[in-house]
Amino acid sequence: MSSFLDSNAAFHSATALDYLPPDPLRRMQLRRLQGMIQRAYDRVPLFRGRLAERGLEPADVESLEDLAQLPFTTKADLRDTYPFGLFASPLEEIVRFHASSGTTGKPIVVAYTREDVQDWTQVMHRCFLACGLHSGDIIQNAYGYGLFTGGLGAHYGAEALGASVIPISGGNTERQIMILKDFGVTAICCTPSYFIHLIERAGELGIDLKQLPLRAGVFGAEPWTEAMRGRIEAESPIKAYDIYGLSEIIGPGVAMECLHQAGPHIFEDMFYPEVIDVETGEVLPDGAEGELVLTTLCKRAMPMIRYRTRDITALNSEPCACGRTLRRIQRIARRSDDMLIIRGVNLFPSQIEAALLAVEGTLPHYQIVVDRVKGLDELEVQVEVTAEVFSDTVGALEKLQQELAQAVERVIGIRAHIRLVQPHALQRSEGKARRVLDKRKL
Ligand code: DLL
């Protein structure tokens, strides 16, 4: 009995901010926002310069609405200041780096102070509580550990919860299934497409996932659909919850679905959301669809002011049956740029293009074809080669194919199937080249 009361008290204290009434929440947001803007102004030359260009100072932000006057931050700003140019803390205060894909060869670098890691741990802890997990759960964390934020982000949150964490990382599906079964795993964290792959592989191995004690899946890092949720819930014993986040803001844990599975709640005490018109940049009202812009309210190492996520969504301020006062975002199904997410890895066509052009014998015409086979994303790159190369021996063509595959893998980190085609084989477009054919039924 006492342990039930203890865990209940722990739940209430860890999730108290999920239920703040609107007024205190807005006051907290404004106080934090003003502190964040001052910090960025004092410590990040790019931000100070941008405000100065507009004749603005931190004191001009007197209300949350005033944030709309401030300039946006974009992925290009991270690229142009690579690697450490947006840091607001000295290197000796940085305890962690992560990185994610940039639009060119260099990654986007993000950094955390000790307090940032603690804040991140707390939001991830709140994510797990929101979907009904608690100490005693056995959580298999199949997000990749490493520069990707998924693995370590979920790991720290799950430990804070007091769950038993299995830090298995991504890949090796048969071992994942063996551990799911043998350890009595109750929750899994991975991309939704990978879990579908796992369902299919388990089926082939004659293992009925429905007999296992698994009950929750914390799925994100890529777009997915209600149809995928339906399939996962029909073919396995779990409830599938949507978790959203991005490296530039913190990693996983920006927003998370509650037991009602009605769209992720944004942790608004930590991240201030706006939705803007993609073309004009104008702030849109709740309910209108546009691009999500996020401002960190507590980040020390790398404050982000009005970061354009490129993710298309709408803010939902309708009350949720769970009683949380945090607004929700509509499921993110697309982006306003050409970033692709393949097996949880972010990549841009421009990165593939750069890799291809570095190899002699190729022409600047290529097409990227993405498909999903047995739950796994497949990437094919069709590349036109010069007439001389095309009439070469089979051995020479195979060698070129190999070279291209290696060049692409070096840049994006995953293997693509390269198909060489003769000059003019690919359709030309009159306007902007359509480089990507995405055949995945999301
Ligand atoms: O994917 C962080 C993460 C890890 C989120 C694990 C959830 C779970 P990045 O690699 O920087 O960070 O990629 C961020 O992935 O801008 C979205 O386009 C996409 N994305 C993330 N979560 C979702 C989701 C991590 N639930 C980019 N639904 C984001 C749709 C998502 N897209």
Side-chain angles (χ1 to χ4, degrees), residues 365 426-435:
H365 298 291
L426 298 177
Q427 206 181 1
R428 301 291 189 264
S429 132
E430 291 185 352
K432 212 164 130 64
R434 266 199 74 210
R435 298 294 195 197

Side-chain angles (χ1 to χ4, degrees), residues 75 99-101 120 124 143 148-151 154 190-192 218-224 241-255 264 307 309-312 329 331-335 337 339 341 344-346:
K75 215 183 251 290
S100 128
S101 291
W120 188 14
M124 278 307 303
Y143 283 123
F148 177 53
T149 52
C190 62
T191 59
V218 179
F219 296 134
E222 66 183 10
W224 57 305
Y241 299 97
D242 193 4
I243 182 167
Y244 168 76
L246 63 163
S247 317
E248 295 88 324
I249 296 301
I250 203 153
V254 172
Y307 184 71
T309 65
R310 300 287 171 188
D311 291 318
I312 303 295
I329 47 174
R331 185 188 267 296
I332 286 161
R334 61 192 175 92
R335 294 178 50 92
D337 63 6
M339 186 177 98
I341 305 185
V345 175
N346 303 350

Side-chain angles (χ1 to χ4, degrees), residues 270-324:
M270 298 294 290
F271 315 107
Y272 187 79
E274 297 168 282
V275 166
I276 61 162
D277 180 299
V278 176
E279 302 303 327
T280 65
E282 179 204 347
V283 178
L284 301 176
D286 285 1
E289 199 177 80
E291 181 181 328
L292 181 65
V293 169
L294 290 168
T295 297
T296 58
L297 296 176
C298 295
K299 257 301 207 58
R300 290 154 189 89
M302 218 170 136
M304 278 289 137
I305 312 279
R306 307 199 81 204
Y307 184 71
R308 288 191 66 156
T309 65
R310 300 287 171 188
D311 291 318
I312 303 295
T313 186
L315 285 170
N316 177 356
S317 48
E318 296 293 312
C320 180
C322 71
R324 281 180 178 73

Side-chain angles (χ1 to χ4, degrees), residues 112-173:
Y112 305 75
T113 64
R114 193 173 300 284
E115 293 89 345
D116 291 334
V117 171
Q118 283 162 1
D119 285 346
W120 188 14
T121 300
Q122 258 174 31
V123 282
M124 278 307 303
H125 182 186
R126 287 161 73 184
C127 289
F128 287 123
L129 289 169
C131 68
L133 298 176
H134 44 68
S135 69
D137 271 303
I138 302 177
I139 302 183
Q140 182 155 329
N141 185 14
Y143 283 123
Y145 282 66
L147 285 177
F148 177 53
T149 52
L152 285 173
H155 184 104
Y156 275 51
E159 275 194 2
L161 182 73
S164 315
V165 192
I166 306 170
I168 191 162
S169 197
N172 203 337
T173 308

